[in-house]
């Protein structure tokens, strides 16, 4: 896609700090560096996001993630790793080319905050929703 920044990085038109590359996937350091070692793993083929991808392309992308994540953790000496994927603007996607964030974690105050608000479960509503999703 001509106006996609990640496609331009893949094509070599924009420089990137690459950490992994093969025929299907490219991984490079995110320029924002939310935490040191923050890496993006992207398919070389353009897809808007994970929701557009087919099973084979998704498999190609995610089969590389664990090894790249382990290498990032080893080099950065991180204590943990958040592996994130945002789909569409409402979910925080800002570049519309599928990408997986590998965010090394060092301590609770390392600059990355992720939280989920919890509620008392409504088991009837959960069962109804699960049934609808399963039947879709």
């Amino acid at each position: 896609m001509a106006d996609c920044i990640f496609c331009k990085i893949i094509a070599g038109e924009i420089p990137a700090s690459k950490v992994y590359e093969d025929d299907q996937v490219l991984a490079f350091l995110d320029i924002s560096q939310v935490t040191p070692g923050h890496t993006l793993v992207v398919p070389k083929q353009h897809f808007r996001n994970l929701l557009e991808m087919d099973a084979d392309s998704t498999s190609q992308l995610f089969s590389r993630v664990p090894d790249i994540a382990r290498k990032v953790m080893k080099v950065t000496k991180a204590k943990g790793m958040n592996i994130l994927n945002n789909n569409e603007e409402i979910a925080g996607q800002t570049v519309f080319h599928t990408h997986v964030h590998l965010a090394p974690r060092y301590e609770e105050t390392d600059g990355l905050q992720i939280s989920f608000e919890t509620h008392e479960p409504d088991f009837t509503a959960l069962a109804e929703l699960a049934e609808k999703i399963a039947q879709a």
Side-chain angles (χ1 to χ4, degrees), residues 11-29:
E13 298 169 16
I14 296 175
S17 298
K18 298 177 184 180
V19 300
Y20 176 86
E21 184 171 17
D22 64 26
D23 292 345
Q24 302 293 318
V25 172
L26 175 65
F28 53 94
L29 296 178

Side-chain angles (χ1 to χ4, degrees), residues 90-116:
I90 190 71
Q93 185 177 7
T94 57
V95 176
F96 294 92
H97 182 121
T98 302
H99 56 288
V100 177
H101 294 263
L102 306 180
R105 299 307 304 268
Y106 303 95
E107 55 190 49
E108 290 180 16
T109 58
D110 61 14
L112 180 61
Q113 298 297 317
I114 299 172
S115 63
F116 295 94

Side-chain angles (χ1 to χ4, degrees), residues 42-114:
V42 304
K44 287 190 171 180
Q45 183 178 349
H46 182 87
F47 295 96
R48 179 179 174 86
N49 55 43
L50 189 64
L51 303 174
E52 278 194 356
M53 294 180 72
D54 57 54
D56 185 53
S57 298
T58 304
S59 176
Q60 293 293 325
L61 175 64
F62 280 95
S63 69
R64 274 68 164 189
V65 168
D67 187 50
I68 298 167
R70 282 190 294 270
K71 289 177 181 180
V72 171
M73 283 188 66
K74 179 180 179 181
V75 169
T76 63
K77 299 186 181 358
K79 295 177 184 175
M81 172 80 64
N82 283 104
I83 299 175
L84 308 164
N85 172 258
N86 305 323
N87 293 274
E88 297 300 339
E89 188 173 349
I90 190 71
Q93 185 177 7
T94 57
V95 176
F96 294 92
H97 182 121
T98 302
H99 56 288
V100 177
H101 294 263
L102 306 180
R105 299 307 304 268
Y106 303 95
E107 55 190 49
E108 290 180 16
T109 58
D110 61 14
L112 180 61
Q113 298 297 317
I114 299 172

Side-chain angles (χ1 to χ4, degrees), residues 112-127:
L112 180 61
Q113 298 297 317
I114 299 172
S115 63
F116 295 94
E117 188 176 329
T118 59
H119 306 278
E120 283 296 316
D122 177 341
F123 292 107
T124 302
L126 289 172

